[in-house]
Amino acid sequence: MTIFPSSTQEVPLVGDVPNHIAIIMDGNGRWAKKRFMPRVAGHKRGVETVREIIKACVQRGVSYLTLFAFSSENWRRPQEEVSFLMQLFLRALDEEVAKLHENGIRFRVIGDLSRFDPQIVSLVKRGEALTAGNTSLTLTIAANYGGRWDILQAIEKMLACDPAKRSGFKEADLAAHMALNYGPEPDLFIRTGGEQRISNFLLWQLAYSEFYFTDTLWPEFDAAALDVAIASYRRRERRFGRTSEQLQSEDSQDQVNPKAARENA
Ligand code: IPE
Ligand code: IPE
Ligand code: MG
């Protein structure tokens, strides 16, 4: 298994385009309410935004896109809304996975699948198996996902694999069992819909991600809005604990040694 560098154990390489974007797709209900439509109409419209953003990420050379579709706390919503979301997920799995495959996209789901209908679980497994060898974009859907659940399940798996770790373990031991162990940590975290919180999304993996919040509601978020987020990301100075002066002196070293600069890019 590939081991991805940890932002706390070493300083990661940073490119102009975020390699991994993680998004909390929020604001569907409010989008519908504004139009005097039922909340679920917003969820339906939100699926179209998902398609557009996947396409835009492929075009921009983003390698990993992780979308928060249903949190471990979303079961608290009215029963009819939860059922609608499950139906929508089922339909999207049924209709979209083949298209993802045609476009060379690797499809994954993270979250506790044990609460889902067996039909959903089997479509997820089939989709993951079908697209496992694809290399264009890794699309991860977080469904019944919670950041705290993720940390707990990683500890359980780690101890099941190696009970001796009960007496001590390191960050990398746990990271190997986190739900997103097949990808790097997110470079850019986006939340639409105006709230400025994590809502129990990737608690472990967002340690050094850049955060971008927008009031735009998810059904209105589009490729142009994604570009605004990426432009904001480009202006950030990702220090990973170092000082600004250290980064600047690294830059000037790169300029006197263009070969090293290229190799580090
Ligand atoms: C996000 O939109 C979608 C899910 C959580 C499934 P919301 O449904 O939370 O929309 P708002 O926040 O109520 O507008
Ligand atoms: C977060 O949105 C979860 C998803 C987008 C799937 P919520 O709308 O559930 O978050 P809170 O309740 O406002 O924090
Ligand atoms: Mg919401």
Side-chain angles (χ1 to χ4, degrees):
M1 192 173 71
T2 319
I3 304 291
F4 289 90
S6 150
S7 58
T8 48
Q9 301 302 301
E10 59 190 273
V11 177
L13 292 175
V14 170
D16 248 7
V17 176
N19 192 31
H20 182 176
I21 300 180
I23 309 182
I24 298 188
M25 311 183 285
D26 197 20
N28 293 348
R30 280 164 286 162
W31 180 87
K33 203 174 161 196
K34 267 194 349 197
R35 286 163 179 74
F36 307 101
M37 298 199 291
R39 289 178 54 80
V40 294
H43 298 316
K44 224 174 132 200
R45 179 60 187 72
V47 176
E48 288 172 38
T49 307
V50 170
R51 281 193 208 104
E52 173 164 357
I53 296 306
I54 293 171
K55 199 168 143 202
C57 282
V58 172
Q59 287 166 348
R60 283 151 187 75
V62 172
S63 304
Y64 294 83
L65 173 65
T66 301
L67 301 174
F68 204 7
F70 193 86
S71 78
S72 45
E73 289 70 53
N74 284 145
W75 298 104
R76 297 169 180 164
R77 293 191 176 198
Q79 176 56 40
E80 313 84 71
E81 184 170 341
V82 171
S83 304
F84 183 92
L85 285 166
M86 291 304 143
Q87 284 305 313
L88 198 63
F89 189 31
L90 186 68
R91 216 174 59 216
L93 283 166
D94 202 29
E95 291 171 4
E96 307 289 332
V97 168
K99 290 186 224 160
L100 294 175
H101 187 49
E102 278 167 28
N103 288 294
I105 295 169
R106 175 164 70 144
F107 169 73
R108 298 290 293 250
V109 172
I110 55 169
D112 182 1
L113 286 180
S114 67
R115 254 185 103 167
F116 285 115
D117 189 284
Q119 222 188 332
I120 292 187
V121 179
S122 102
L123 282 173
V124 166
K125 295 289 162 215
R126 264 169 43 197
E128 287 184 336
L130 175 73
T131 62
N134 293 346
T135 53
S136 111
L137 168 80
T138 296
L139 168 70
T140 299
I141 302 295
N144 192 19
Y145 178 87
R148 291 187 178 178
W149 164 83
D150 194 359
I151 294 168
L152 292 175
Q153 68 81 32
I155 296 171
E156 263 180 33
K157 276 196 195 143
M158 179 192 67
L159 293 178
C161 286
D162 184 359
K165 296 236 154 71
R166 234 167 248 286
S167 52
F169 58 89
K170 294 195 165 59
E171 192 194 295
D173 299 321
L174 197 56
H177 295 282
M178 296 297 294
L180 268 177
N181 60 1
Y182 52 88
E185 294 171 26
D187 299 289
L188 174 60
F189 160 91
I190 298 173
R191 182 173 186 145
T192 63
E195 311 295 352
Q196 303 197 354
R197 53 177 172 253
I198 299 189
S199 300
N200 196 19
F201 196 26
L202 304 161
L203 299 180
W204 172 277
Q205 298 86 346
L206 293 174
Y208 268 103
S209 308
E210 294 298 328
F211 281 45
Y212 177 84
F213 296 99
T214 172
D215 288 338
T216 304
L217 304 170
W218 179 249
E220 285 166 351
F221 194 78
D222 57 11
L226 178 71
D227 285 334
V228 174
I230 294 175
S232 163
Y233 169 82
R234 284 207 180 112
R235 292 191 296 272
R236 313 280 176 94
E237 184 178 58
R238 302 190 73 190
R239 292 192 287 276
F240 300 102
R242 297 162 302 169
T243 66
S244 205
E245 289 73 19
Q246 283 175 296
L247 288 172
Q248 277 152 21
S249 81
E250 258 183 25
D251 274 357
S252 56
Q253 273 167 27
D254 286 350
Q255 275 157 23
V256 289
N257 185 353
K259 184 169 174 285
R262 270 200 307 280
E263 280 167 2
N264 287 332

